[in-house]
Structures are given as C-alpha cells and as structure tokens.
Amino acid sequence: MAPMLRDSDEPREVMMKVLHGILGGGEVKHIKPDRRIPRCYRLAERPIAFIAGDNTMPLDHHLLPILAELEECDVLASYIDQHRAGHPFLFDIVLQRASGTKRYASYVFCLGSADRFMLVPQDGQGPQLWFVQGRMEEVATAKRLNNAARTFGVIRGQVSLCEWIYGGGLPISDMDEPAGLKDHPDRLGVIFPIYDSKDYIKELASIDDALMVHRDNDGRFSFALRPLHRFKARNYGAWLIDFARDLRAEYTMVVIDRDIFIPAIIDCARRHAAASQRAAIEEAVEIIGEHQSCILDHLDSDDKSFSAGRAIIAGRERRTKADPGESDSFSCVDGLPTPRSEQIWNTFVAEWCDPRMAQHGQVAWKDWIHNHRPDMLALAMSH
C-alpha cells in the first residue's frame, strides 16, 4: 500500500496537501535523503518531490539542489510560519534536466485564467513556470502573463493559499508590517549585559556570551560567539572602544536594556580610564552618538508577541549546565544550554525575515551549533 499524506490540520501538513494537489495528485512515497532536510514526499509516477518547512521543521533553500540531485527529480518547496496567518507564501523550484540543475528562488503562486496553476517571480523579473503534462516547465516567452494578468493572478493565488491553509486571512501589506527594520542586517551583534548589586547599587559586571551574525550576499548566515567578558577597572574603556569599532564596521547591535546599558558603560569607562585611554574613549562615545540608529533595544518592535517573548528570555538566568534529563529544545541543544543571545536572535530572525529566509537562518544556526560552536561548558569553566 502506498504511503499517504498525513491527515492533519497543521499548516505545514496542509501545505503539503496543497503542493500535492498543485502537482496533480497521485500516489506518493516518503523520502529523506539528508538529515538536514525535513521529511518530504515524491510522486510515485513522476520525478517530482515536494516539501514544506515551518517553525518546527525549518527548511534551508540552499539544500534543495542537493535534494534534486540525490533523488534525480524536480523539487517544489514552500515555507510556512505557523504564527503568522496570511503571510506571503514563497516557493523555490529546482528543475533537474540532462543539461543540469537549475534553481528558481522566491517565486509566488499565481492562479491564472481557467484556474491554471503557475509560479512567477516575486519581483516580476525572470522566467514564469507552469505545469505541463505533469511536469514543471518554463513558460514560452510568447505565452507569459503580462504585468496586469500576473498581478491579478498572484492576488488570487495568495488569497487561495490563505483560505486553503489557514481557513481565511488576507496577505500582509507593507502598511501592516512593524515599524523599524524590515530585513535582517548584513552584520548583527546581540549584547547581553550582566549586572551585580552591592550595597543597593547596581554595577555593570560583565557581558554574557555575545552572538555575532553575518549574512552574505547570497543570503547565507554565519555565526561567531564571543565568550563571557568580565569587567575590571581598566577594561571598561577597551570594551567600549571595541564596541564603537563594531558600529563603525556597519554592525547593527541589539542590546538588552539599551537605555540602561549605554549610559552605564560610558560612565564606567570614563571613571576607570587611564590617562592614555581618555582620548580614544571620548572618540568612541562620539561614534556611539553618531550611530544611535544602529543600536537597538531588545524590545524594539510593534509586534507585542515578539517583545513579550524577548522580555521572557531577558529575564532568564545565565546557564552553563543543562538540568538533569533536560531534552533538546529552543533553550537547550545537544545537552548544553543555548546562550541567551542566541535565543534573542532567533526571535529577531523570525520577525525580520520572511518565512523562507527565517527558516534558512534557523537551519544554518542549528548546523553551526552541531558542528562549529565552541564547547560552552569549557568556556564557562575557563572564566
């Protein structure tokens, strides 16, 4: 008996059914050729695989050509955000032909005349795709939709997907998006200050493990972790100078309780500065003033759900050991607690990026955790 699609109301499973229907239906089989690729299906009678990623099973769009080559088939992929009904649905397509593998990135669903299913570039530039005799093919130039037909078809397609997957809802327009950043910065740092209280006075004591994130031109994410920095009388100024250097290098910095931390670090740097540091510290203070728009507070958002989530993370204690028997979760991976800066970043990538890019970032982060991140317990013991 052939495998069946899961009968579930979860958005990802519903999208799998939608993709199955778009491709013409028929018997399917389960495939999972790579541990980094979530469970997906392949049509039994045609060389086409389909897959959908979501918040719990993120999908890296850079891995789709690998899936196509391993299975020797075309691939149709989409991305779901379980918490944002009505978000724009993006698709990636990989066509596997004798001439080679070709990927079509960031396409949208278009419901053309006579309810013909098509996929067209989100930005309107590039080939259009449709389904011919059970396969995806580029539309001949003479038969491409004009701008008006494409725009109307995309609206119909988006509304149809919202109805099929979420039971209603409308696409999010630019006017509905939160104020502030609309996309992940190319360079980002997440700073988590730690304070000590002595004689009823709150003193800046250290900076928790800081996450630094780069996003390359092709959208790939890379990560680095700066270990816990403990402040001493003479190194406040050195840290402040390095912070200003990051701002000058075009980093966007997320700081927990920014409006408390910035005055505190400047005051400590000035009070404890050696004579040889004073000029450099004042220059750093000036750079910070010039780059205020690049220093974000962790609660900066018009979306209360993201602000509330980050407030909860900010209130957690720093951990270097997992609880006995603690299973893998958002806050603990491979038996090691996730640094709070990484937890904060995961909320920002979900807020700033469309589901396609957010899932790619989450897969890259998990891959970095498994393969490249330093041993957090060893770092903690070294300090």
Side-chain angles (χ1 to χ4, degrees):
M1 183 175 178
M4 299 291 290
L5 295 175
R6 290 182 61 186
D7 186 15
S8 170
D9 293 331
E10 288 294 319
R12 177 179 183 272
E13 300 301 334
V14 177
M15 175 57 94
M16 296 284 255
K17 296 176 186 176
V18 170
L19 296 179
H20 183 236
I22 289 174
L23 294 172
E27 293 186 353
V28 298
K29 63 178 182 178
H30 292 144
I31 56 174
K32 196 177 189 332
D34 189 289
R35 67 168 182 80
R36 298 168 295 175
I37 300 174
R39 173 179 50 83
C40 52
Y41 295 95
R42 175 174 173 162
L43 297 181
E45 299 179 356
R46 282 168 285 158
I48 303 177
F50 56 100
I51 183 172
D54 68 2
N55 310 67
T56 60
M57 300 182 71
L59 173 63
D60 183 348
H61 52 81
H62 287 110
L63 298 175
L64 297 176
I66 296 176
L67 172 59
E69 291 172 2
L70 290 174
E71 289 294 320
E72 297 183 346
C73 67
D74 298 341
V75 176
L76 176 62
S78 190
Y79 311 84
I80 296 291
D81 189 323
Q82 295 172 308
H83 311 301
R84 295 169 60 193
H87 66 75
F89 296 94
L90 295 180
F91 294 80
D92 280 1
I93 307 98
V94 178
L95 299 186
Q96 179 79 359
R97 299 292 183 267
S99 58
T101 301
K102 187 174 183 180
R103 181 164 70 100
Y104 303 80
S106 297
Y107 272 54
V108 290
F109 183 58
C110 178
L111 200 54
S113 59
D115 289 342
R116 177 188 286 274
F117 295 147
M118 300 181 69
L119 292 163
V120 298
Q122 184 186 27
D123 60 6
Q125 304 298 316
Q128 298 175 4
L129 303 176
W130 62 6
F131 302 92
V132 179
Q133 296 180 348
R135 298 202 69 180
M136 292 180 286
E137 301 288 352
E138 289 191 10
V139 179
T141 303
K143 295 185 178 181
R144 288 184 184 178
L145 299 178
N146 59 33
N147 287 339
R150 185 186 67 83
T151 300
F152 181 66
V154 168
I155 292 173
R156 289 186 66 202
Q158 175 72 21
V159 172
S160 297
L161 288 174
C162 288
E163 291 175 349
W164 294 337
I165 296 169
Y166 294 108
L170 293 174
I172 296 175
S173 68
D174 291 340
M175 296 298 292
D176 295 323
E177 291 185 9
L181 289 179
K182 299 293 193 297
D183 199 5
H184 193 290
D186 291 336
R187 295 185 175 190
L188 179 73
V190 183
I191 305 297
F192 208 115
I194 299 175
Y195 301 88
D196 281 344
S197 295
K198 185 177 181 181
D199 298 331
Y200 303 101
I201 298 175
K202 196 175 185 180
E203 286 283 348
L204 181 60
S206 55
I207 300 293
D208 200 358
D209 308 294
L211 182 67
M212 311 305 290
V213 185
H214 284 196
R215 191 176 70 161
D216 299 333
N217 292 334
D218 66 351
R220 294 182 187 273
F221 289 85
S222 57
F223 305 87
L225 199 67
R226 296 179 180 175
L228 176 75
H229 176 91
R230 296 189 187 279
F231 285 119
K232 298 178 182 178
R234 294 302 185 192
N235 67 10
Y236 287 103
W239 192 95
L240 185 70
I241 293 167
D242 288 341
F243 181 72
R245 187 178 295 119
D246 286 335
L247 292 173
R248 182 171 273 178
E250 300 184 349
Y251 274 88
T252 296
M253 306 300 286
V254 173
V255 180
I256 309 304
D257 294 327
R258 172 197 58 200
D259 295 339
I260 296 174
F261 171 73
I262 296 299
I265 185 64
I266 291 175
D267 176 64
C268 289
R270 284 171 168 166
R271 282 193 291 113
H272 297 287
S276 59
Q277 279 186 315
R278 294 190 184 280
I281 288 173
E282 293 307 317
E283 181 183 0
V285 172
E286 185 176 339
I287 292 171
I288 291 170
E290 293 170 350
H291 292 77
Q292 289 187 49
S293 62
C294 299
I295 308 174
L296 309 180
D297 187 83
H298 68 296
L299 299 181
D300 284 348
S301 175
D302 283 352
D303 189 320
K304 293 182 179 179
S305 62
F306 284 112
S307 295
R310 288 194 279 270
I312 292 171
I313 295 171
R316 292 173 178 166
E317 294 292 329
R318 182 177 193 268
R319 297 195 304 157
T320 57
K321 295 182 179 180
D323 296 331
E326 184 173 1
S327 59
D328 274 9
S329 65
F330 174 67
S331 57
C332 181
V333 180
D334 291 346
L336 290 173
T338 304
R340 294 174 293 180
S341 57
E342 294 179 30
Q343 297 179 44
I344 290 286
W345 173 79
N346 270 277
T347 69
F348 274 112
V349 76
E351 178 178 1
W352 288 336
C353 298
D354 61 56
R356 173 180 178 271
M357 185 58 67
Q359 290 177 33
H360 165 53
Q362 290 165 356
V363 172
W365 171 70
K366 288 183 177 180
D367 181 65
W368 173 69
I369 288 176
H370 293 308
N371 300 308
H372 304 293
R373 193 175 75 184
D375 187 329
M376 299 303 299
L377 183 56
L379 278 177
M381 295 178 65
S382 68
H383 289 79

